[in-house]
Amino acid sequence: MIRIALAKGRVSDSVLEILKGKGIEFGDEKDDRKLILHEPEGKYELILVKPQDTPTYVEQGVAECGIVGRDIVMEQDSDVYQLFSLEAAKCKLCLAGKPGGRLERYSNIKIATKYTSSAEAFLEQKGVGFELIKLNGSVELAPILGMSDAIIDIVETGNTLRANGLEIWEDICEIQCVFIANKAALKTRHKELSELISCLYEGKV
Ligand code: AMP
């Protein structure tokens, strides 16, 4: 049996659909309080975990593999293999702020974000001076209230930005789900993992 750690929320909603399309169904997936889902053939077990914790379950070997947004993997320095992306929970990481703004206008910019590592890498590469303010959610408030000049956050439809009078200044990178695997399990459980990987990988980049 292969245990898959699945990031709960947008990722799990969309990955359960993908798995269903591949003929892998979990009978008890309707009960959203259940944290462990079983597949009738007994080949796979899904554990539904907080997105930020997904790489930890895989790194610790409690789950042989996992599926999580690339934003989470980029922020953490987990010792897992990132094998491929899945067409699920697609979005992008963006620099955003009040309409008409641009990064080039600042020699030192104050940015509010949940994604401090990715923000740091982006701003260093841009060669601009910066100060990061770490927030855990509702980051759109920061530029509105004058606490920051801009934000770095995930954008899917852009509705949240629009509803708060903000706009994208620059796209930083695309974000998809990634399939991650425990390094030891990829050797010791190679046959079973390969079966799952080839089932999910089909035609993916
Ligand atoms: P939207 O209004 O569709 O652009 O969605 C933006 C909001 O939803 C932001 O607050 C994001 O943090 C969150 N969000 C959208 N897509 C994702 C995703 N795939 N993973 C995590 N958060 C997301």
Side-chain angles (χ1 to χ4, degrees), residues 3 6 11 19 23 33-34 37 51 61 86 90 95 112 138 143 148 157 168 179 183 187 197 201 203:
R3 187 174 292 135
L6 192 55
V11 171
L19 288 170
R33 285 161 303 190
K34 279 209 161 189
L37 305 182
L86 283 125
K90 270 176 114 171
L95 172 72
S138 302
S148 74
T157 60
I168 294 174
F179 184 94
K183 289 188 166 176
K187 292 194 189 106
I197 289 166
Y201 185 73

Side-chain angles (χ1 to χ4, degrees), residues 10 71 89-91 114-115 140 153-161:
R10 289 171 206 260
D71 52 319
K90 270 176 114 171
C91 53
K114 200 157 55 164
Y115 302 98
E140 296 82 7
D153 199 17
I154 283 182
V155 176
E156 191 178 334
T157 60
N159 290 340
T160 308
L161 287 180

Side-chain angles (χ1 to χ4, degrees), residues 64 81 83 181-190 193 197:
E64 283 77 24
Y81 287 129
L83 297 182
N182 174 272
K183 289 188 166 176
L186 202 58
K187 292 194 189 106
T188 58
R189 310 289 303 277
H190 189 261
L193 274 173
I197 289 166

